[in-house]
Amino acid sequence: MTEYFDTPEARRIAYNLTPGTGPGVVFLGGFKSDMEGTKALALEDWARAQGRAFLRFDYSGHGVSAGAFDEGAIGDWYEDARDVIMALTEGPQILVGSSMGGWISLLMAREHPEKLAGLVTIAAAPDFTEDGYWASFDQETRHKLESQGSVEVPSDYGDPYVITRRLINEGRTRLVLRSPLALPFPTRFLQGTADDAVSTETALRLLDHADSEDMRLTLVKGADHRFSTPECLALVETALTEVIDARQ
């Protein structure tokens, strides 16, 4: 059942919370995705079968949460995630971050490591506003963004994405690959080699950059950015099980 939480920043966030044992699992979705996606629902079913607590939610401007997507930025969505995790979960949680959700989960790890029992990322996209969009824009596009406030870029998922000047500028204050990044808990990164949105190079860069005593990267040949085939979903569940077992 979908419920709503009003954050201290006055944003109304939609969520579904399944009660169960801890450490609970929290799913953090991607850029312009929602909590009704294949991965979120599959993990909810898995957690329910395990009797484990599970939380999925929509960032502001995503899904059925309040707000306009084009007005949001990484920091806003990080605050949404932080606020619902702090308010709605008990004890350390295992975060499962997909694409942008991977970046946001890394921000949680940096700012609130005490709240993480473990981390699983799926095609994590840290710093993508800078290293993806901004780095790929030519001078004309950059000028248009700065002067007009937004540009449209093609999307493989339907309508073009509107990339705003605020998204780029605010994202620069949230970068995680430019300074030390400690992950003091079991960590598993999953990455498809046929991912057109996040490169294998990004996954390797994250693996090399982060500091953890128990960190592994699994590359899946032929898997795309959705990472939602039955085989890929099984790998996510295996990674979660490894993280849980590593804590016992």
Side-chain angles (χ1 to χ4, degrees):
M1 175 181 173
T2 299
E3 300 181 80
Y4 291 86
F5 173 75
D6 292 316
T7 74
E9 294 79 24
R11 294 193 284 266
R12 174 155 285 196
I13 303 301
Y15 70 93
N16 277 259
L17 179 62
T18 302
T21 60
V25 176
V26 182
F27 183 79
L28 296 91
F31 190 60
K32 212 172 184 179
S33 66
D34 59 49
M35 62 175 171
E36 301 297 329
T38 302
K39 292 187 288 292
L41 297 181
L43 288 175
E44 183 177 70
D45 289 343
W46 176 87
R48 186 177 287 114
Q50 302 277 327
R52 188 167 298 278
F54 183 81
L55 172 66
R56 57 188 171 96
F57 65 96
D58 286 333
Y59 310 110
S60 52
H62 292 66
V64 293
S65 286
F69 172 80
D70 295 352
E71 295 176 2
I74 301 300
D76 301 334
W77 302 324
Y78 159 69
E79 290 169 354
D80 296 342
R82 178 199 64 198
D83 292 344
V84 298
I85 290 170
M86 293 297 194
L88 302 176
T89 69
E90 295 183 8
Q93 303 292 299
I94 300 171
L95 305 189
V96 180
S98 175
S99 192
M100 182 183 77
W103 184 0
I104 290 174
S105 66
L106 293 169
L107 286 168
M108 275 296 298
R110 186 174 72 183
E111 303 299 330
H112 295 281
E114 76 286 352
K115 194 60 179 175
L116 273 73
L119 174 63
V120 176
T121 69
I122 306 163
D127 303 2
F128 76 88
T129 52
E130 188 71 11
D131 299 334
Y133 286 127
W134 182 256
S136 70
F137 290 163
D138 58 24
Q139 286 301 117
E140 181 181 355
T141 304
R142 290 181 178 187
H143 177 73
K144 181 178 179 182
L145 178 71
E146 295 289 357
S147 61
Q148 299 184 13
S150 67
V151 294
E152 289 189 350
V153 300
S155 164
D156 293 333
Y157 301 94
D159 294 336
Y161 288 155
V162 175
I163 305 302
T164 66
R165 181 173 55 215
R166 178 170 182 259
L167 179 72
I168 298 297
N169 289 341
E170 200 279 339
R172 289 180 177 136
T173 71
R174 307 289 177 169
L175 304 176
V176 295
L177 296 178
R178 272 79 172 168
S179 57
L181 180 63
L183 303 177
F185 35 72
T187 298
R188 300 292 183 269
F189 303 135
L190 303 172
Q191 176 69 41
T193 64
D195 190 330
D196 292 330
V198 177
S199 67
T200 301
E201 180 184 9
T202 299
L204 292 169
R205 182 183 176 195
L206 175 58
L207 180 73
D208 182 62
H209 178 74
D211 182 23
S212 175
E213 293 183 357
D214 184 3
M215 179 171 60
R216 301 175 193 170
L217 166 63
T218 300
L219 297 178
V220 183
K221 188 173 179 63
D224 63 15
H225 191 62
R226 289 179 175 86
F227 213 84
S228 295
T229 65
E231 294 79 11
C232 287
L233 294 174
L235 287 173
V236 179
E237 293 169 5
T238 297
L240 269 171
T241 300
E242 287 182 5
V243 169
I244 291 168
D245 290 346
R247 291 183 49 80
Q248 297 175 347

